[in-house]
Protein backbone atom coordinates (compact mmCIF):
# COMPACT_ATOMS: atom_id res chain seq x y z
CA UNK A 1 0.00 0.00 0.00
CA UNK A 2 0.92 3.66 -0.33
CA UNK A 3 2.47 4.75 2.98
CA UNK A 4 4.49 7.61 4.42
CA UNK A 5 5.13 10.90 2.65
CA UNK A 6 3.81 11.19 -0.89
CA UNK A 7 4.37 13.94 -3.42
CA UNK A 8 7.07 16.59 -3.50
CA UNK A 9 10.03 15.31 -1.45
CA UNK A 10 10.99 18.73 -0.04
CA UNK A 11 7.50 19.95 0.89
CA UNK A 12 5.89 19.71 4.31
CA UNK A 13 2.76 17.50 4.23
CA UNK A 14 -0.39 19.60 4.15
CA UNK A 15 -2.90 16.78 4.74
CA UNK A 16 -3.32 13.15 5.73
CA UNK A 17 -4.28 10.92 2.81
CA UNK A 18 -6.42 7.82 3.37
CA UNK A 19 -6.45 5.84 0.08
CA UNK A 20 -9.73 3.97 -0.29
CA UNK A 21 -9.55 0.19 -0.01
CA UNK A 22 -11.94 -0.25 -2.97
CA UNK A 23 -9.28 1.22 -5.26
CA UNK A 24 -6.76 -1.39 -4.10
CA UNK A 25 -9.27 -4.24 -4.39
CA UNK A 26 -10.68 -3.39 -7.81
CA UNK A 27 -7.72 -1.69 -9.48
CA UNK A 28 -8.18 0.52 -12.52
CA UNK A 29 -9.80 0.20 -15.92
CA UNK A 30 -7.53 -0.73 -18.78
CA UNK A 31 -3.95 0.48 -18.48
CA UNK A 32 -4.70 3.33 -16.06
CA UNK A 33 -2.46 3.72 -13.01
CA UNK A 34 -5.32 3.89 -10.52
CA UNK A 35 -6.37 7.00 -8.65
CA UNK A 36 -3.75 6.59 -5.88
CA UNK A 37 -0.82 6.52 -8.29
CA UNK A 38 -2.37 9.31 -10.36
CA UNK A 39 -2.80 11.48 -7.26
CA UNK A 40 0.82 10.89 -6.29
CA UNK A 41 1.96 12.00 -9.77
CA UNK A 42 -0.16 15.15 -9.53
CA UNK A 43 1.21 15.97 -6.07
CA UNK A 44 4.80 15.76 -7.36
CA UNK A 45 4.05 17.96 -10.37
CA UNK A 46 2.33 20.53 -8.18
CA UNK A 47 5.07 20.57 -5.53
CA UNK A 48 2.71 19.46 -2.76
CA UNK A 49 3.11 16.65 -0.21
CA UNK A 50 0.70 14.60 1.90
CA UNK A 51 1.18 11.91 4.53
CA UNK A 52 -0.33 8.41 4.53
CA UNK A 53 -0.60 7.14 8.14
CA UNK A 54 0.82 3.83 9.30
CA UNK A 55 -1.62 0.93 9.24
CA UNK A 56 -3.56 2.23 6.25
CA UNK A 57 -3.86 -1.35 4.93
CA UNK A 58 -6.15 -2.21 7.86
CA UNK A 59 -8.24 0.99 7.80
CA UNK A 60 -11.60 1.54 6.15
CA UNK A 61 -14.35 4.17 6.13
CA UNK A 62 -16.63 1.56 7.80
CA UNK A 63 -19.36 1.99 5.19
CA UNK A 64 -19.51 -1.78 4.46
CA UNK A 65 -20.51 -2.36 8.08
CA UNK A 66 -22.79 0.66 8.35
CA UNK A 67 -24.70 -0.16 5.17
CA UNK A 68 -25.48 -3.67 6.39
CA UNK A 69 -26.36 -2.70 9.94
CA UNK A 70 -23.31 -4.36 11.53
CA UNK A 71 -22.99 -1.90 14.40
CA UNK A 72 -20.20 -3.72 16.23
CA UNK A 73 -18.00 -3.90 13.13
CA UNK A 74 -18.57 -0.20 12.52
CA UNK A 75 -17.57 0.64 16.10
CA UNK A 76 -14.35 -1.37 15.85
CA UNK A 77 -13.31 0.30 12.59
CA UNK A 78 -14.36 3.74 13.80
CA UNK A 79 -12.12 3.43 16.86
CA UNK A 80 -9.21 2.18 14.73
CA UNK A 81 -9.48 5.06 12.25
CA UNK A 82 -9.78 7.70 14.97
CA UNK A 83 -6.78 6.35 16.89
CA UNK A 84 -4.51 6.15 13.84
CA UNK A 85 -5.50 9.52 12.41
CA UNK A 86 -4.89 11.15 15.79
CA UNK A 87 -1.51 9.40 16.11
CA UNK A 88 -0.43 10.59 12.66
CA UNK A 89 -0.98 14.27 13.42
CA UNK A 90 2.17 16.42 13.72
CA UNK A 91 2.99 17.90 17.11
CA UNK A 92 0.80 20.92 17.69
CA UNK A 93 -0.97 20.48 14.35
CA UNK A 94 -4.21 19.12 12.97
CA UNK A 95 -3.98 18.20 9.30
CA UNK A 96 -7.13 17.79 7.20
CA UNK A 97 -7.90 14.29 5.90
CA UNK A 98 -8.28 13.37 2.21
CA UNK A 99 -9.85 10.27 0.68
CA UNK A 100 -10.07 9.31 -2.98
CA UNK A 101 -13.47 7.65 -3.47
CA UNK A 102 -16.51 9.83 -2.91
CA UNK A 103 -18.51 7.27 -0.91
CA UNK A 104 -15.46 6.60 1.29
CA UNK A 105 -14.94 10.33 1.84
CA UNK A 106 -18.53 10.48 3.06
CA UNK A 107 -17.87 7.53 5.37
CA UNK A 108 -14.72 9.10 6.82
CA UNK A 109 -16.62 12.36 7.31
CA UNK A 110 -19.10 10.55 9.55
CA UNK A 111 -16.26 9.05 11.60
CA UNK A 112 -13.78 11.93 11.76
CA UNK A 113 -16.06 14.96 11.53
CA UNK A 114 -17.43 14.26 15.00
CA UNK A 115 -13.86 14.56 16.32
CA UNK A 116 -13.34 17.93 14.67
CA UNK A 117 -11.29 16.80 11.67
CA UNK A 118 -11.81 18.43 8.30
CA UNK A 119 -12.43 15.69 5.71
CA UNK A 120 -11.89 16.58 2.04
CA UNK A 121 -12.51 14.50 -1.04
CA UNK A 122 -9.57 14.27 -3.44
CA UNK A 123 -11.69 16.21 -5.97
CA UNK A 124 -11.98 19.21 -3.68
CA UNK A 125 -8.31 19.04 -2.68
CA UNK A 126 -7.17 18.84 -6.30
CA UNK A 127 -9.42 21.67 -7.44
CA UNK A 128 -8.24 23.97 -4.62
CA UNK A 129 -4.57 23.05 -4.15
CA UNK A 130 -3.25 21.37 -7.31
CA UNK A 131 -4.97 22.52 -10.50
CA UNK A 132 -3.42 26.00 -10.59
CA UNK A 133 0.04 24.50 -9.96
CA UNK A 134 -0.05 21.91 -12.74
CA UNK A 135 1.45 22.38 -16.20
CA UNK A 136 -0.88 23.08 -19.09
CA UNK A 137 -2.19 19.76 -20.28
CA UNK A 138 -2.76 18.10 -23.62
CA UNK A 139 -6.55 17.92 -23.61
CA UNK A 140 -8.55 15.11 -25.16
CA UNK A 141 -11.50 15.98 -27.36
CA UNK A 142 -14.46 14.86 -25.23
CA UNK A 143 -15.25 13.36 -21.82
CA UNK A 144 -18.49 12.02 -20.36
CA UNK A 145 -18.88 12.20 -16.58
CA UNK A 146 -20.89 10.15 -14.12
CA UNK A 147 -21.54 12.11 -10.92
CA UNK A 148 -22.25 9.85 -7.94
CA UNK A 149 -24.73 9.83 -5.09
CA UNK A 150 -21.96 10.76 -2.65
CA UNK A 151 -20.42 13.48 -4.83
CA UNK A 152 -23.89 15.01 -5.10
CA UNK A 153 -24.58 14.67 -1.37
CA UNK A 154 -21.28 16.38 -0.51
CA UNK A 155 -21.53 19.11 -3.15
CA UNK A 156 -18.54 17.88 -5.16
CA UNK A 157 -20.01 17.86 -8.65
CA UNK A 158 -18.78 21.38 -9.50
CA UNK A 159 -15.20 20.28 -8.67
CA UNK A 160 -15.69 17.11 -10.71
CA UNK A 161 -16.64 19.22 -13.73
CA UNK A 162 -13.85 21.73 -13.05
CA UNK A 163 -11.21 19.00 -13.12
CA UNK A 164 -12.80 17.42 -16.19
CA UNK A 165 -12.57 20.76 -18.01
CA UNK A 166 -8.79 20.66 -17.48
CA UNK A 167 -8.79 17.26 -19.21
CA UNK A 168 -11.15 17.67 -22.17
CA UNK A 169 -12.34 20.35 -24.58
CA UNK A 170 -15.93 19.11 -24.26
CA UNK A 171 -17.32 17.78 -20.95
CA UNK A 172 -20.72 16.11 -20.98
CA UNK A 173 -23.04 14.76 -18.28
CA UNK A 174 -25.96 12.62 -19.50
CA UNK A 175 -29.27 14.37 -18.96
CA UNK A 176 -30.77 11.37 -17.15
CA UNK A 177 -27.77 10.40 -15.04
CA UNK A 178 -28.58 8.94 -11.65
CA UNK A 179 -27.55 6.31 -9.15
CA UNK A 180 -25.82 3.42 -10.92
CA UNK A 181 -27.37 0.93 -8.49
CA UNK A 182 -24.04 -0.76 -7.77
CA UNK A 183 -24.36 0.19 -4.09
CA UNK A 184 -21.07 -1.17 -2.78
CA UNK A 185 -21.29 -4.90 -3.44
CA UNK A 186 -24.95 -5.15 -4.53
CA UNK A 187 -24.01 -4.71 -8.17
CA UNK A 188 -21.74 -7.77 -7.93
CA UNK A 189 -24.38 -9.90 -6.23
CA UNK A 190 -27.35 -8.60 -8.24
CA UNK A 191 -26.14 -7.18 -11.58
CA UNK A 192 -29.74 -6.82 -12.71
CA UNK A 193 -30.07 -3.87 -10.30
CA UNK A 194 -27.36 -1.90 -12.08
CA UNK A 195 -28.69 -2.92 -15.49
CA UNK A 196 -32.13 -1.60 -14.60
CA UNK A 197 -30.94 1.56 -12.84
CA UNK A 198 -28.63 2.60 -15.69
CA UNK A 199 -30.64 1.63 -18.77
CA UNK A 200 -31.66 5.15 -19.82
CA UNK A 201 -28.34 6.77 -18.87
CA UNK A 202 -26.34 4.05 -20.61
CA UNK A 203 -28.14 4.68 -23.89
CA UNK A 204 -27.41 8.40 -23.60
CA UNK A 205 -23.73 7.64 -22.87
CA UNK A 206 -23.52 5.55 -26.02
CA UNK A 207 -25.13 8.34 -28.05
CA UNK A 208 -22.69 10.94 -26.68
CA UNK A 209 -19.84 8.64 -27.75
CA UNK A 210 -17.12 10.56 -25.92
CA UNK A 211 -13.42 9.82 -26.21
CA UNK A 212 -13.19 9.02 -22.47
CA UNK A 213 -15.46 8.36 -19.49
CA UNK A 214 -14.87 9.20 -15.84
CA UNK A 215 -16.34 9.34 -12.37
CA UNK A 216 -15.00 9.67 -8.81
CA UNK A 217 -15.84 6.40 -7.04
CA UNK A 218 -14.45 3.00 -8.01
CA UNK A 219 -17.56 0.87 -7.55
CA UNK A 220 -19.63 3.40 -9.50
CA UNK A 221 -17.00 3.28 -12.24
CA UNK A 222 -17.34 -0.51 -12.31
CA UNK A 223 -21.10 -0.27 -12.52
CA UNK A 224 -21.04 2.26 -15.35
CA UNK A 225 -18.37 0.30 -17.24
CA UNK A 226 -20.57 -2.79 -17.15
CA UNK A 227 -23.68 -0.84 -18.10
CA UNK A 228 -22.19 1.02 -21.07
CA UNK A 229 -19.29 -1.10 -22.31
CA UNK A 230 -17.06 1.97 -21.86
CA UNK A 231 -14.02 2.09 -19.54
CA UNK A 232 -14.79 4.48 -16.68
CA UNK A 233 -11.78 5.81 -14.74
CA UNK A 234 -11.37 8.20 -11.84
CA UNK A 235 -11.12 11.68 -13.33
CA UNK A 236 -7.71 12.17 -11.66
CA UNK A 237 -6.28 9.35 -13.78
CA UNK A 238 -7.20 11.35 -16.85
CA UNK A 239 -5.83 14.57 -15.32
CA UNK A 240 -2.51 12.84 -14.61
CA UNK A 241 -2.33 11.61 -18.20
CA UNK A 242 -3.22 15.06 -19.59
CA UNK A 243 -0.54 16.85 -17.57
CA UNK A 244 2.23 14.27 -17.99
Amino acid sequence: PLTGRLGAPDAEPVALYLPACVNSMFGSCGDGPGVGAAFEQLLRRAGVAVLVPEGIESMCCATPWTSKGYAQGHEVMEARVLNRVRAAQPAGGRLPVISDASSCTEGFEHILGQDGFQVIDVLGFTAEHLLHRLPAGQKIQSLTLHPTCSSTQMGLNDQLVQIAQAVAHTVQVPQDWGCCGFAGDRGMLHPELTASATAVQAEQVRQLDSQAHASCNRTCELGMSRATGKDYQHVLELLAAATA
Side-chain angles (χ1 to χ4, degrees):
L2 296 170
T3 55
R5 181 195 295 260
L6 297 182
D10 299 327
E12 281 297 313
V14 297
L16 291 184
Y17 172 38
L18 306 182
C21 56
V22 292
N23 295 321
S24 298
M25 289 189 293
F26 296 121
S28 176
C29 281
D31 297 326
V35 61
F39 185 46
E40 183 175 15
Q41 292 170 18
L42 294 169
L43 288 167
R44 286 182 175 274
R45 288 175 199 152
V48 176
V50 299
L51 184 65
V52 179
E54 292 184 12
I56 187 64
E57 70 278 1
S58 60
M59 292 168 63
C60 170
C61 68
T63 299
W65 289 272
T66 308
S67 64
K68 292 179 171 58
Y70 296 157
Q72 186 176 1
H74 172 87
E75 290 170 4
V76 169
M77 187 55 68
E78 180 180 89
R80 182 182 298 171
V81 169
L82 280 168
N83 288 338
R84 291 183 176 170
V85 167
R86 289 168 182 158
Q89 295 295 326
R94 197 171 180 83
L95 296 177
V97 177
I98 305 168
S99 190
D100 56 11
S102 57
S103 64
C104 302
T105 303
E106 189 174 8
F108 282 125
E109 167 64 32
H110 290 310
I111 293 174
L112 296 167
Q114 63 183 337
D115 203 53
F117 285 100
Q118 181 187 13
V119 180
I120 311 169
D121 189 80
V122 73
L123 293 177
F125 183 84
T126 299
E128 181 177 354
H129 297 284
L130 304 186
L131 268 185
H132 66 285
R133 297 171 177 262
L134 293 172
Q138 182 67 41
K139 291 186 179 183
I140 60 174
Q141 197 59 44
S142 57
L143 171 61
T144 291
L145 292 177
H146 173 71
T148 72
C149 303
S150 293
S151 68
T152 303
Q153 178 72 21
M154 293 186 293
L156 294 168
N157 290 343
D158 286 347
Q159 288 98 326
L160 176 63
V161 171
Q162 182 184 357
I163 294 168
Q165 288 172 338
V167 169
H169 293 291
T170 301
V171 176
Q172 306 174 100
V173 177
Q175 181 177 347
D176 292 306
W177 80 269
C179 179
C180 68
F182 208 83
D185 64 0
R186 298 302 287 172
M188 290 182 282
L189 301 173
H190 300 284
E192 67 275 10
L193 292 178
T194 297
S196 175
T198 58
V200 175
Q201 181 185 180
E203 180 56 34
Q204 292 176 359
V205 168
R206 286 188 284 267
Q207 290 175 2
L208 291 172
D209 195 27
S210 290
Q211 186 176 348
H213 301 77
S215 188
C216 54
N217 196 69
R218 190 70 195 105
T219 52
C220 301
E221 293 157 19
L222 287 172
M224 290 306 300
S225 295
R226 291 183 180 184
T228 63
K230 309 288 187 180
D231 285 341
Y232 275 75
Q233 299 172 270
H234 196 288
V235 70
L236 290 198
E237 296 184 70
L238 295 172
L239 181 63
T243 58

